[in-house]
Amino acid sequence: QAKETGRNLYQFYSPDMNERAFERLFLDSDLHRALARNELELYFQPQIDLAQGHVVGAEALLRWNHATKGQISPVVFIPLAEESDLILDIGGWVIEEACRHARQWHDQGYTDLRVAVNLSARQFRSDLPDIVARVLHETGLPAHLLELELTESLLMERPELARTILNKLRYLGNHLSIDDFGTGYSSLSYLKHFPIDRLKIDRSFVKDLNVDPDDAIIVEAIIALAHGLRLNVVAEGVETSDQFEFMRQRGCDEIQGYVVARPMPADDFLRYLQKSKRQTES
Ligand code: C2E
Ligand code: MG
Ligand code: MG
Ligand code: MG
């Protein structure tokens, strides 16, 4: 049925077509032009080391500045891009752009500042290490300053391929972290088999920390698990000072969230760095 419709193009515009699918169709064709039209932009959200209070890194988060619809969330357009190889072009651009910015911070004297990039399952192919190596070479960013964020499901889909790729990335010197930890299709054994550096505690556990005792238990368990395995642990989506204090007291290594700063354009992020540097110096 779907194939029939595909061949019969005029049916796309039949009146019974629901509005959302219609909207999607347009977004999808716009998205194919977004890169060429310079409509994609990386925002950066600081990650703070709780022991020192320093900015130690930033997560690169993609934004689409659509010409007529305004800014569109990655939650909306990444799944669209993932339906085709478009995600490979977009994902490659994200790696390049993130490394280019991190190299600039490095040149401005922030020599230890990491940048973290989110990867899609479709990017997780055997050519990924070559792409990363080329970008590092071209931008001159030291490999240990690039962190790649993976999800549990991405690793579990094809564990053997994943292991080969992760070993190569690790060999290059990249940092590897598990995003949204605890929400995926979890098999903790992968923590033993994959060369992972960090766990990112998902925001869903952080959100109700001070009202739901179960979430507090889960967060404590993740911190203990990470430290037991000699992994670094980051809490994401920390919004309140209570949550901040909870993480500090429980020995979570780093936090990221609105309580510190929202994701921001590159220029603002550089100003943010300069401001926090002056604060720690005075
Ligand atoms: P994620 O990787 O888990 O990123 C964290 C999300 O939480 C970001 O949403 C960030 O803006 C948001 N966030 C951070 N702190 C707080 C907080 O304190 N409170 C709340 N409510 N939210 C907070 P964003 O930027 O909308 O990105 C959503 C998701 O889209 C990301 O989740 C990631 O899975 C995906 N994404 C973003 N950029 C890229 C990209 O370049 N490539 C790929 N493949 N996926 C991306
Ligand atoms: Mg992420
Ligand atoms: Mg996350
Ligand atoms: Mg998330």
Side-chain angles (χ1 to χ4, degrees):
Q1 190 71 39
K3 267 191 184 146
E4 288 288 305
T5 319
R7 257 180 251 128
N8 240 339
L9 246 175
Y10 75 90
Q11 283 193 16
F12 268 133
Y13 302 99
S14 68
D16 62 326
M17 181 158 183
N18 75 57
E19 213 174 302
R20 278 187 55 192
F22 209 53
E23 177 80 11
R24 249 176 82 93
L25 191 67
F26 280 110
L27 265 194
D28 191 43
S29 67
D30 286 353
L31 188 54
H32 275 87
R33 289 183 277 269
L35 258 182
R37 290 178 177 172
N38 278 319
E39 291 177 348
L40 297 184
E41 180 180 7
L42 287 186
Y43 273 36
F44 296 94
Q45 186 179 34
Q47 298 177 329
I48 307 295
D49 169 33
L50 283 174
Q52 313 285 333
H54 291 159
V55 187
V56 288
E59 178 172 5
L61 293 157
L62 193 54
R63 298 290 180 265
W64 178 13
N65 302 311
H66 189 283
T68 55
K69 293 186 169 58
Q71 196 169 72
I72 301 178
S73 158
V75 179
V76 173
F77 70 84
I78 293 280
L80 272 182
E82 280 173 339
E83 283 173 14
S84 71
D85 282 348
L86 184 57
I87 191 62
L88 298 179
D89 293 338
I90 293 180
W93 179 85
V94 169
I95 297 173
E96 268 176 43
E97 186 75 359
C99 290
R100 209 171 57 72
H101 282 291
R103 173 60 207 244
Q104 284 169 7
W105 308 332
H106 189 268
D107 290 348
Q108 306 245 1
Y110 303 98
T111 50
D112 296 322
L113 204 68
R114 290 186 314 253
V115 71
V117 167
N118 292 284
L119 292 181
S120 279
R122 274 181 99 114
Q123 286 176 275
F124 217 64
R125 316 188 318 177
S126 52
D127 60 352
L128 180 67
D130 300 330
I131 294 172
V132 170
R134 176 182 56 76
V135 173
L136 290 171
H137 179 75
E138 284 172 6
T139 57
L141 182 73
H144 71 278
L145 298 180
L146 174 63
E147 173 177 336
L148 299 167
E149 295 193 2
L150 319 150
T151 57
E152 294 163 276
S153 38
L154 179 153
L155 296 181
M156 297 319 293
E157 240 167 64
R158 290 156 81 190
E160 274 318 305
L161 177 68
R163 215 150 77 92
T164 312
I165 295 174
L166 291 191
N167 283 333
K168 284 187 182 165
L169 293 170
R170 169 50 87 72
Y171 183 75
L172 285 176
N174 300 142
H175 278 236
L176 304 171
S177 58
I178 305 291
D179 204 355
D180 307 335
F181 184 77
T183 61
Y185 146 33
S186 291
S187 149
L188 290 176
S189 70
Y190 74 82
L191 292 175
K192 244 175 37 180
H193 299 302
F194 295 130
I196 298 298
D197 302 282
R198 279 150 58 86
L199 302 183
K200 298 193 75 177
I201 304 173
D202 190 65
R203 187 172 75 87
S204 60
F205 303 120
V206 178
K207 202 161 47 81
D208 299 322
L209 205 52
N210 302 97
V211 289
D212 187 345
D214 289 350
D215 284 333
I217 299 290
I218 292 174
V219 168
E220 286 173 348
I222 296 177
I223 295 172
L225 175 70
H227 287 164
L229 294 171
R230 289 179 299 280
L231 305 176
N232 180 291
V233 60
V234 193
E236 58 178 2
V238 179
E239 291 186 353
T240 69
S241 48
D242 281 352
Q243 293 163 354
F244 183 103
E245 200 44 37
F246 182 96
M247 296 303 168
R248 209 182 51 77
Q249 283 175 6
R250 301 307 193 282
C252 185
D253 300 302
E254 293 168 25
I255 61 157
Q256 176 183 344
Y258 295 172
V259 72
V260 177
R262 289 182 179 248
M264 57 190 112
D267 289 350
D268 291 348
F269 182 69
L270 194 57
R271 275 190 290 275
Y272 174 87
L273 282 177
Q274 288 157 350
K275 202 178 102 213
S276 33
K277 185 169 163 225
R278 278 198 302 275
Q279 276 169 2
T280 41
E281 278 169 356
S282 60

mmCIF file of all heavy atoms in Angstrom, residues 42 60 88-101 115 117-119 123 128 131-133 135-136 139 141 146 148:
data_model
loop_
_atom_site.group_PDB
_atom_site.id
_atom_site.type_symbol
_atom_site.label_atom_id
_atom_site.label_comp_id
_atom_site.label_asym_id
_atom_site.label_seq_id
_atom_site.Cartn_x
_atom_site.Cartn_y
_atom_site.Cartn_z
ATOM 1 N N LEU A 42 25.698 24.626 16.212
ATOM 2 C CA LEU A 42 25.948 23.910 17.455
ATOM 3 C C LEU A 42 25.823 24.868 18.626
ATOM 4 O O LEU A 42 26.362 25.981 18.601
ATOM 5 C CB LEU A 42 27.347 23.289 17.462
ATOM 6 C CG LEU A 42 27.561 22.068 16.580
ATOM 7 C CD1 LEU A 42 28.956 21.489 16.819
ATOM 8 C CD2 LEU A 42 26.505 20.993 16.844
ATOM 9 N N ALA A 60 28.170 19.413 22.801
ATOM 10 C CA ALA A 60 27.688 20.079 21.588
ATOM 11 C C ALA A 60 26.275 19.591 21.305
ATOM 12 O O ALA A 60 26.034 18.389 21.215
ATOM 13 C CB ALA A 60 28.606 19.739 20.414
ATOM 14 N N LEU A 88 24.305 10.898 8.211
ATOM 15 C CA LEU A 88 25.761 10.743 8.070
ATOM 16 C C LEU A 88 26.397 12.091 7.732
ATOM 17 O O LEU A 88 27.438 12.454 8.286
ATOM 18 C CB LEU A 88 26.091 9.714 6.990
ATOM 19 C CG LEU A 88 25.574 8.298 7.261
ATOM 20 C CD1 LEU A 88 25.937 7.377 6.107
ATOM 21 C CD2 LEU A 88 26.140 7.767 8.580
ATOM 22 N N ASP A 89 25.755 12.842 6.830
ATOM 23 C CA ASP A 89 26.274 14.174 6.483
ATOM 24 C C ASP A 89 26.179 15.108 7.674
ATOM 25 O O ASP A 89 27.124 15.817 8.012
ATOM 26 C CB ASP A 89 25.467 14.785 5.329
ATOM 27 C CG ASP A 89 25.677 14.021 4.031
ATOM 28 O OD1 ASP A 89 26.713 13.334 3.930
ATOM 29 O OD2 ASP A 89 24.803 14.092 3.156
ATOM 30 N N ILE A 90 25.008 15.116 8.301
ATOM 31 C CA ILE A 90 24.804 16.006 9.447
ATOM 32 C C ILE A 90 25.735 15.620 10.589
ATOM 33 O O ILE A 90 26.409 16.464 11.180
ATOM 34 C CB ILE A 90 23.320 15.980 9.897
ATOM 35 C CG1 ILE A 90 22.443 16.610 8.805
ATOM 36 C CG2 ILE A 90 23.133 16.698 11.224
ATOM 37 C CD1 ILE A 90 20.954 16.641 9.114
ATOM 38 N N GLY A 91 25.805 14.329 10.874
ATOM 39 C CA GLY A 91 26.666 13.850 11.963
ATOM 40 C C GLY A 91 28.136 14.164 11.706
ATOM 41 O O GLY A 91 28.865 14.528 12.627
ATOM 42 N N GLY A 92 28.562 14.039 10.456
ATOM 43 C CA GLY A 92 29.947 14.363 10.100
ATOM 44 C C GLY A 92 30.217 15.847 10.296
ATOM 45 O O GLY A 92 31.269 16.241 10.821
ATOM 46 N N TRP A 93 29.247 16.651 9.905
ATOM 47 C CA TRP A 93 29.376 18.108 10.086
ATOM 48 C C TRP A 93 29.484 18.442 11.575
ATOM 49 O O TRP A 93 30.289 19.288 11.968
ATOM 50 C CB TRP A 93 28.174 18.816 9.451
ATOM 51 C CG TRP A 93 28.223 20.301 9.606
ATOM 52 C CD1 TRP A 93 28.876 21.187 8.794
ATOM 53 C CD2 TRP A 93 27.615 21.072 10.658
ATOM 54 N NE1 TRP A 93 28.711 22.470 9.277
ATOM 55 C CE2 TRP A 93 27.942 22.426 10.418
ATOM 56 C CE3 TRP A 93 26.837 20.752 11.773
ATOM 57 C CZ2 TRP A 93 27.517 23.467 11.247
ATOM 58 C CZ3 TRP A 93 26.410 21.780 12.598
ATOM 59 C CH2 TRP A 93 26.750 23.116 12.335
ATOM 60 N N VAL A 94 28.687 17.773 12.403
ATOM 61 C CA VAL A 94 28.706 18.036 13.849
ATOM 62 C C VAL A 94 30.101 17.733 14.425
ATOM 63 O O VAL A 94 30.651 18.531 15.190
ATOM 64 C CB VAL A 94 27.618 17.213 14.589
ATOM 65 C CG1 VAL A 94 27.808 17.281 16.100
ATOM 66 C CG2 VAL A 94 26.222 17.703 14.213
ATOM 67 N N ILE A 95 30.683 16.605 14.022
ATOM 68 C CA ILE A 95 32.011 16.247 14.535
ATOM 69 C C ILE A 95 33.031 17.328 14.135
ATOM 70 O O ILE A 95 33.817 17.803 14.962
ATOM 71 C CB ILE A 95 32.460 14.857 14.006
ATOM 72 C CG1 ILE A 95 31.502 13.760 14.501
ATOM 73 C CG2 ILE A 95 33.889 14.530 14.456
ATOM 74 C CD1 ILE A 95 31.755 12.384 13.890
ATOM 75 N N GLU A 96 32.972 17.726 12.857
ATOM 76 C CA GLU A 96 33.913 18.743 12.359
ATOM 77 C C GLU A 96 33.771 20.072 13.085
ATOM 78 O O GLU A 96 34.753 20.676 13.533
ATOM 79 C CB GLU A 96 33.654 19.008 10.882
ATOM 80 C CG GLU A 96 34.489 18.151 9.958
ATOM 81 C CD GLU A 96 34.099 18.399 8.506
ATOM 82 O OE1 GLU A 96 33.912 19.585 8.119
ATOM 83 O OE2 GLU A 96 33.945 17.405 7.797
ATOM 84 N N GLU A 97 32.526 20.516 13.165
ATOM 85 C CA GLU A 97 32.228 21.814 13.764
ATOM 86 C C GLU A 97 32.610 21.820 15.258
ATOM 87 O O GLU A 97 33.182 22.792 15.754
ATOM 88 C CB GLU A 97 30.733 22.101 13.565
ATOM 89 C CG GLU A 97 30.270 23.460 13.996
ATOM 90 C CD GLU A 97 30.674 24.588 13.046
ATOM 91 O OE1 GLU A 97 31.358 24.330 12.028
ATOM 92 O OE2 GLU A 97 30.299 25.731 13.352
ATOM 93 N N ALA A 98 32.303 20.737 15.941
ATOM 94 C CA ALA A 98 32.623 20.646 17.371
ATOM 95 C C ALA A 98 34.140 20.692 17.577
ATOM 96 O O ALA A 98 34.642 21.410 18.449
ATOM 97 C CB ALA A 98 32.035 19.367 17.968
ATOM 98 N N CYS A 99 34.868 19.947 16.761
ATOM 99 C CA CYS A 99 36.332 19.919 16.896
ATOM 100 C C CYS A 99 36.935 21.277 16.544
ATOM 101 O O CYS A 99 37.903 21.719 17.158
ATOM 102 C CB CYS A 99 36.942 18.824 16.026
ATOM 103 S SG CYS A 99 36.566 17.172 16.623
ATOM 104 N N ARG A 100 36.363 21.929 15.536
ATOM 105 C CA ARG A 100 36.857 23.245 15.131
ATOM 106 C C ARG A 100 36.716 24.237 16.287
ATOM 107 O O ARG A 100 37.652 24.966 16.610
ATOM 108 C CB ARG A 100 36.041 23.719 13.913
ATOM 109 C CG ARG A 100 36.758 24.647 12.966
ATOM 110 C CD ARG A 100 35.933 24.868 11.701
ATOM 111 N NE ARG A 100 34.599 25.400 11.953
ATOM 112 C CZ ARG A 100 34.354 26.656 12.348
ATOM 113 N NH1 ARG A 100 35.353 27.504 12.539
ATOM 114 N NH2 ARG A 100 33.127 27.056 12.548
ATOM 115 N N HIS A 101 35.565 24.220 16.952
ATOM 116 C CA HIS A 101 35.367 25.116 18.090
ATOM 117 C C HIS A 101 36.293 24.759 19.255
ATOM 118 O O HIS A 101 36.889 25.636 19.870
ATOM 119 C CB HIS A 101 33.907 25.095 18.551
ATOM 120 C CG HIS A 101 33.008 25.920 17.675
ATOM 121 N ND1 HIS A 101 33.073 27.292 17.633
ATOM 122 C CD2 HIS A 101 32.050 25.561 16.794
ATOM 123 C CE1 HIS A 101 32.178 27.741 16.762
ATOM 124 N NE2 HIS A 101 31.558 26.714 16.226
ATOM 125 N N VAL A 115 35.279 18.590 24.308
ATOM 126 C CA VAL A 115 33.978 18.773 23.665
ATOM 127 C C VAL A 115 33.360 17.390 23.491
ATOM 128 O O VAL A 115 34.042 16.441 23.119
ATOM 129 C CB VAL A 115 34.084 19.536 22.325
ATOM 130 C CG1 VAL A 115 34.724 18.702 21.229
ATOM 131 C CG2 VAL A 115 32.717 20.046 21.881
ATOM 132 N N VAL A 117 30.385 15.029 21.720
ATOM 133 C CA VAL A 117 29.522 14.965 20.539
ATOM 134 C C VAL A 117 28.605 13.744 20.653
ATOM 135 O O VAL A 117 29.047 12.666 21.028
ATOM 136 C CB VAL A 117 30.399 14.862 19.260
ATOM 137 C CG1 VAL A 117 29.572 14.481 18.056
ATOM 138 C CG2 VAL A 117 31.151 16.156 19.015
ATOM 139 N N ASN A 118 27.327 13.943 20.361
ATOM 140 C CA ASN A 118 26.369 12.831 20.363
ATOM 141 C C ASN A 118 26.429 12.068 19.039
ATOM 142 O O ASN A 118 26.454 12.678 17.970
ATOM 143 C CB ASN A 118 24.940 13.362 20.540
ATOM 144 C CG ASN A 118 24.718 13.955 21.917
ATOM 145 O OD1 ASN A 118 24.579 13.228 22.892
ATOM 146 N ND2 ASN A 118 24.727 15.276 21.992
ATOM 147 N N LEU A 119 26.423 10.755 19.120
ATOM 148 C CA LEU A 119 26.437 9.944 17.902
ATOM 149 C C LEU A 119 25.122 9.214 17.716
ATOM 150 O O LEU A 119 24.520 8.749 18.684
ATOM 151 C CB LEU A 119 27.566 8.912 17.966
ATOM 152 C CG LEU A 119 28.995 9.427 17.907
ATOM 153 C CD1 LEU A 119 29.951 8.247 17.961
ATOM 154 C CD2 LEU A 119 29.238 10.245 16.650
ATOM 155 N N GLN A 123 25.524 6.367 12.446
ATOM 156 C CA GLN A 123 26.918 6.809 12.253
ATOM 157 C C GLN A 123 27.893 5.745 12.733
ATOM 158 O O GLN A 123 29.082 5.823 12.465
ATOM 159 C CB GLN A 123 27.188 8.072 13.068
ATOM 160 C CG GLN A 123 26.581 9.322 12.532
ATOM 161 C CD GLN A 123 26.848 10.450 13.503
ATOM 162 O OE1 GLN A 123 26.108 10.638 14.458
ATOM 163 N NE2 GLN A 123 27.921 11.196 13.286
ATOM 164 N N LEU A 128 33.649 5.060 10.898
ATOM 165 C CA LEU A 128 33.626 6.136 11.885
ATOM 166 C C LEU A 128 35.022 6.518 12.423
ATOM 167 O O LEU A 128 35.365 7.702 12.467
ATOM 168 C CB LEU A 128 32.668 5.790 13.039
ATOM 169 C CG LEU A 128 32.560 6.849 14.135
ATOM 170 C CD1 LEU A 128 31.907 8.126 13.611
ATOM 171 C CD2 LEU A 128 31.785 6.312 15.342
ATOM 172 N N ILE A 131 36.795 8.692 9.935
ATOM 173 C CA ILE A 131 36.225 10.037 9.877
ATOM 174 C C ILE A 131 36.736 10.865 11.048
ATOM 175 O O ILE A 131 37.197 11.998 10.876
ATOM 176 C CB ILE A 131 34.672 9.968 9.891
ATOM 177 C CG1 ILE A 131 34.164 9.294 8.604
ATOM 178 C CG2 ILE A 131 34.071 11.354 10.081
ATOM 179 C CD1 ILE A 131 32.673 9.001 8.595
ATOM 180 N N VAL A 132 36.690 10.286 12.224
ATOM 181 C CA VAL A 132 37.145 10.997 13.427
ATOM 182 C C VAL A 132 38.637 11.336 13.320
ATOM 183 O O VAL A 132 39.050 12.467 13.588
ATOM 184 C CB VAL A 132 36.850 10.162 14.700
ATOM 185 C CG1 VAL A 132 37.525 10.766 15.918
ATOM 186 C CG2 VAL A 132 35.340 10.057 14.922
ATOM 187 N N ALA A 133 39.422 10.365 12.872
ATOM 188 C CA ALA A 133 40.869 10.593 12.746
ATOM 189 C C ALA A 133 41.158 11.728 11.767
ATOM 190 O O ALA A 133 42.010 12.588 12.017
ATOM 191 C CB ALA A 133 41.568 9.311 12.293
ATOM 192 N N VAL A 135 39.168 14.267 10.938
ATOM 193 C CA VAL A 135 38.757 15.550 11.513
ATOM 194 C C VAL A 135 39.766 16.023 12.568
ATOM 195 O O VAL A 135 40.124 17.206 12.606
ATOM 196 C CB VAL A 135 37.336 15.461 12.124
ATOM 197 C CG1 VAL A 135 36.992 16.734 12.877
ATOM 198 C CG2 VAL A 135 36.308 15.190 11.032
ATOM 199 N N LEU A 136 40.250 15.113 13.382
ATOM 200 C CA LEU A 136 41.242 15.491 14.399
ATOM 201 C C LEU A 136 42.508 16.009 13.725
ATOM 202 O O LEU A 136 43.098 17.005 14.140
ATOM 203 C CB LEU A 136 41.570 14.302 15.308
ATOM 204 C CG LEU A 136 40.452 13.868 16.263
ATOM 205 C CD1 LEU A 136 40.823 12.564 16.950
ATOM 206 C CD2 LEU A 136 40.145 14.953 17.288
ATOM 207 N N THR A 139 41.712 19.511 12.086
ATOM 208 C CA THR A 139 41.492 20.621 13.020
ATOM 209 C C THR A 139 42.656 20.790 13.985
ATOM 210 O O THR A 139 42.799 21.835 14.606
ATOM 211 C CB THR A 139 40.206 20.407 13.858
ATOM 212 O OG1 THR A 139 40.324 19.163 14.552
ATOM 213 C CG2 THR A 139 38.971 20.392 12.981
ATOM 214 N N LEU A 141 42.931 19.223 16.764
ATOM 215 C CA LEU A 141 42.470 19.051 18.149
ATOM 216 C C LEU A 141 43.081 17.780 18.738
ATOM 217 O O LEU A 141 42.993 16.718 18.130
ATOM 218 C CB LEU A 141 40.936 18.956 18.194
ATOM 219 C CG LEU A 141 40.341 18.832 19.607
ATOM 220 C CD1 LEU A 141 40.434 20.158 20.354
ATOM 221 C CD2 LEU A 141 38.895 18.336 19.555
ATOM 222 N N LEU A 146 38.333 15.193 22.539
ATOM 223 C CA LEU A 146 37.057 14.844 21.896
ATOM 224 C C LEU A 146 36.442 13.652 22.618
ATOM 225 O O LEU A 146 37.057 12.597 22.744
ATOM 226 C CB LEU A 146 37.261 14.489 20.419
ATOM 227 C CG LEU A 146 35.999 13.979 19.701
ATOM 228 C CD1 LEU A 146 34.906 15.044 19.654
ATOM 229 C CD2 LEU A 146 36.336 13.509 18.286
ATOM 230 N N LEU A 148 33.044 11.147 22.737
ATOM 231 C CA LEU A 148 31.915 10.690 21.924
ATOM 232 C C LEU A 148 30.874 10.074 22.849
ATOM 233 O O LEU A 148 31.202 9.235 23.690
ATOM 234 C CB LEU A 148 32.406 9.681 20.882
ATOM 235 C CG LEU A 148 33.441 10.294 19.924
ATOM 236 C CD1 LEU A 148 34.149 9.222 19.109
ATOM 237 C CD2 LEU A 148 32.792 11.327 19.005
#
